[in-house]
Amino acid sequence: MDALKQTKFDDKNLIPAIVQDFKTGDILMFAWMNQESLALTIEKQQAVYYSRSRKKLWFKGEQSGHTQLIKEIFTDCDNDVILLRVDQVGGIACHTGRKSCFFQQLDKNNWKTVANVLKNPKDIYE
Amino acid sequence: MDALKQTKFDDKNLIPAIVQDFKTGDILMFAWMNQESLALTIEKQQAVYYSRSRKKLWFKGEQSGHTQLIKEIFTDCDNDVILLRVDQVGGIACHTGRKSCFFQQLDKNNWKTVANVLKNPKDIYE
C-alpha cells in the first residue's frame, strides 16, 4: 500500500497515534502503531494498536467492546505521526472507565481529576 | 513542582505532547518535551518543546512569531502523555504555513493534501 510506504516509523518501528472523537473533537487517547497495526486499522476500519508493554498487537475494544470505528485518518507534515478520527463505541476510550484518557488537568502545581468514571472498570473487563 | 514529579518521561527523558486548538478542537501539531521544556511551558504559559533533531529546547514561535499560548494542560491516565490546549497566535502551527500539521488525509491508498497554505513559509521564516 502506497500510504504505508510513505509513513515513517521510528527506530523501534513504531509511530505515535493520536485518537480523536470525530463528533466532539475530544482527544480520547494516545497509542502506538507498528506497520501491521496501521495496515489492519486501514483494512478493518477499526483501530488496532501495538502494545509496547505486552509486545503484541492490541485490537482496541476486543475485551471491553469499546472499539473505535475509523472515520478519517490523517498524517502530519513529516509523515511520522498518525491522527485517527473515530466513532468511539460505548463512549468510553479509557481503561479507567472514563470517556477520555486525558482526564487530569494541571491546576496550579497538581494534576486534578476533572472527568467522571462512566462505567466501573470491573464491569468493563469481566 | 509536584506535577512534574508525577510526570513520566521515557527512556530518552522525553514525553509526547499533543497540541490542540482550544477554540476549534483541531489538532495542530505533535511534539516532544523534556522536563525543562515542560517546566518552562508551565512557567511562561507558552509552549516550549524539545527538538530531537536539533537536540535543544525549541521555543515555539521564536522565529515565526507563531507562539502558542497555554489555555489548559492535561495528562493521560498513565501520566506519560501531555495535551496542550492552546491559543495559536497567527492561526498557523505548521512550518509549511498551514494551520495544522495534520493536513494529509488518507484517501484510498494515498495521503492527499486537504488544507491550504495560509502563508508562504519564505515569508514566515525570513
Side-chain angles (χ1 to χ4, degrees):
Chain A
M1 185 181 289
D2 290 344
L4 275 178
K5 283 182 194 157
Q6 290 159 16
T7 302
K8 290 178 196 153
F9 295 84
D10 69 10
D11 54 357
K12 291 168 183 161
N13 297 315
L14 298 175
I15 190 167
I18 302 166
V19 190
Q20 183 177 37
D21 185 315
F22 87 107
K23 278 178 290 197
T24 64
D26 289 347
I27 310 297
L28 297 174
M29 52 178 272
F30 174 88
W32 293 86
M33 291 180 150
N34 62 4
Q35 199 175 47
E36 190 182 0
S37 71
L38 179 54
L40 283 168
T41 297
I42 295 169
E43 184 192 320
K44 295 175 181 291
Q45 290 293 295
Q46 197 169 312
V48 181
Y49 305 108
Y50 179 80
S51 168
R52 295 182 304 169
S53 54
R54 285 173 281 155
K55 294 179 183 165
K56 62 174 190 175
L57 290 178
W58 167 23
F59 293 83
K60 171 68 182 162
E62 198 175 26
Q63 269 191 279
S64 63
H66 297 151
T67 50
Q68 295 170 333
L69 311 181
I70 303 301
K71 291 294 177 177
E72 294 173 326
I73 302 181
F74 291 84
T75 192
D76 72 338
C77 48
D78 294 326
N79 287 30
D80 64 0
V81 182
I82 295 290
L83 167 61
L84 301 181
R85 288 174 48 85
V86 306
D87 179 4
Q88 176 62 61
V89 173
I92 295 174
C94 186
H95 76 286
T96 64
R98 293 178 177 87
K99 176 181 183 179
S100 163
C101 293
F102 294 89
F103 58 82
Q104 299 182 93
Q105 184 174 2
L106 190 66
D107 180 24
K108 290 175 188 164
N109 293 336
N110 290 289
W111 297 112
K112 187 179 170 187
T113 295
V114 294
N116 293 331
V117 171
L118 302 177
K119 192 170 178 180
N120 191 323
K122 285 181 190 165
D123 298 329
I124 299 176
Y125 304 96
E126 284 171 358
Chain B
M1 184 181 289
D2 290 344
L4 276 178
K5 283 182 194 157
Q6 290 159 16
T7 301
K8 290 178 195 153
F9 295 84
D10 69 10
D11 53 358
K12 291 169 184 161
N13 297 315
L14 298 175
I15 189 167
I18 301 166
V19 190
Q20 183 178 37
D21 185 315
F22 87 106
K23 278 178 290 196
T24 64
D26 289 347
I27 310 298
L28 297 174
M29 53 179 271
F30 173 88
W32 293 87
M33 292 180 149
N34 62 5
Q35 199 174 49
E36 190 182 0
S37 71
L38 179 54
L40 283 167
T41 296
I42 295 168
E43 184 193 321
K44 295 175 180 291
Q45 289 293 294
Q46 197 169 312
V48 181
Y49 305 108
Y50 179 80
S51 168
R52 295 182 304 168
S53 54
R54 284 173 281 156
K55 293 178 183 168
K56 62 174 190 175
L57 289 178
W58 167 24
F59 293 84
K60 171 68 182 161
E62 198 174 26
Q63 269 191 278
S64 63
H66 297 151
T67 50
Q68 295 170 333
L69 311 181
I70 304 300
K71 291 294 176 176
E72 294 172 326
I73 302 181
F74 290 84
T75 192
D76 72 339
C77 47
D78 294 326
N79 287 32
D80 63 0
V81 182
I82 294 290
L83 167 60
L84 301 181
R85 288 175 47 87
V86 305
D87 180 3
Q88 176 62 61
V89 173
I92 295 174
C94 186
H95 76 287
T96 64
R98 293 178 177 86
K99 176 180 183 178
S100 163
C101 293
F102 293 90
F103 58 82
Q104 299 182 94
Q105 184 174 1
L106 190 66
D107 181 23
K108 291 175 187 164
N109 293 336
N110 290 289
W111 296 112
K112 187 179 170 186
T113 295
V114 294
N116 293 331
V117 171
L118 302 177
K119 192 170 178 181
N120 190 323
K122 285 181 189 165
D123 298 330
I124 299 176
Y125 304 95
E126 285 170 358

